[in-house]
């Protein structure tokens, strides 16, 4: 409670308190009072003291009212899994802050971070600010952490030389996803912008396939690479003399 006092004037003294900008809650007829403050502005206190001999004196004091603290929570998401979440709360660095959030998250920092965030960190984060003159109402911000797409390539480990219609695919990343395929040792014949392609292999060597996937949230995988061995076709070239004698063996 807010308190104010004047020196005791001894037995038989009287104290007449006045106040503007607040309300006296206790001690109005004594040398020490308790009072509550209005929401803003200033408090003016006055006290007229008369001792037992009838001598009187008046004193006054002005008290400034600090407004009820407020804070505003925010973040700079949405985020992709594995990135760093940055939370913000408005106010002075010298104030005390209390954050709570999903997965038991707590922090006393004004602007805390969450490293290597995962989709499970998605949710509402709340903060209060304590200035010493009071604690603000909680402010809330919603954090969204989107999953990363899977770009693991599924393809046969080997194909025949010059073969066509060889399939390769990555998991479907849903509506709005993009797929960027690369190939060496062959060429893509269909599906280059989808999650499933067909390709033709060169005659020999190896086919190297790569794919980067971007989902509708803008999160993209690191390029996935797989190598397919090309089994050369057998050589059917016949080796024989250019000419023979009749009836020769």
């Amino acid at each position: 409670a807010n308190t104010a006092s004047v020196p005791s004037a001894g037995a038989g003294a009287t104290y007449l308190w006045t106040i503007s900008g607040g309300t006296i809650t206790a001690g109005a007829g004594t040398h020490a009072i308790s009072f509550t403050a209005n929401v803003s502005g200033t408090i003016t206190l006055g006290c007229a003291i008369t001792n037992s001999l009838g001598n009187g004196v008046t004193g006054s004091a002005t008290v400034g009212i600090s407004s009820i603290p407020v804070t505003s929570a925010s973040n700079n998401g949405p985020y992709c899994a594995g990135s760093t979440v940055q939370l913000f709360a408005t106010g002075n660095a010298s104030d005390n802050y209390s954050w709570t959030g999903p997965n038991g998250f707590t922090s006393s920092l004004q602007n805390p971070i969450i490293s290597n965030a995962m989709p499970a960190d998605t949710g509402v984060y709340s903060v209060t600010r304590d200035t010493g003159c009071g604690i603000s109402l909680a402010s809330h911000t919603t954090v969204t952490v989107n999953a990363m797409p899977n770009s693991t390539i599924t393809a046969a480990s080997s194909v025949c030389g010059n073969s066509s219609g060889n399939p390769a695919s990555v998991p479907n990343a849903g509506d709005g996803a993009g797929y960027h395929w690369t190939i060496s040792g062959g060429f893509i014949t269909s599906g280059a912008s989808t999650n499933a392609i067909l390709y033709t292999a060169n005659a020999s060597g190896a086919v190297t396939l790569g794919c980067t996937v971007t989902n509708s949230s803008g999160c993209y995988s690191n390029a996935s690479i797989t190598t397919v061995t090309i089994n050369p076709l057998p050589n059917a070239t016949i080796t024989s003399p250019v000419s023979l004698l009749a009836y020769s063996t």
Side-chain angles (χ1 to χ4, degrees), residues 3 9 15 32 43 47 49 72 74 82-83 90-91 109 116 129 134 137 163 169 180 187 191 195 207 213 217 229 236:
T3 60
Y15 306 88
I43 297 171
C47 188
I49 308 169
S72 179
S74 63
S83 57
T90 57
L109 298 176
N116 194 30
R129 171 190 172 205
L137 295 175
S163 60
S169 65
H180 178 67
F187 57 92
N195 73 302
V207 176
V213 182
S217 300
T229 300

Side-chain angles (χ1 to χ4, degrees), residues 144-210:
T144 300
V145 183
N146 296 302
M148 298 292 289
N150 185 348
S151 62
T152 302
I153 297 172
T154 299
S157 59
S158 63
V159 296
C160 293
N162 293 325
S163 60
S164 61
N166 301 301
S169 65
V170 293
N172 191 322
D175 293 342
Y179 306 87
H180 178 67
W181 288 89
T182 61
I183 188 172
S184 64
F187 57 92
I188 296 170
T189 55
S190 68
S193 61
T194 71
N195 73 302
I197 64 168
L198 297 176
Y199 69 92
T200 296
N202 289 351
S204 62
V207 176
T208 301
L209 295 166

Side-chain angles (χ1 to χ4, degrees), residues 32 73 79 88 109 115 142 155 201 232:
Y79 306 89
F88 302 95
L109 298 176
S115 300
T142 299

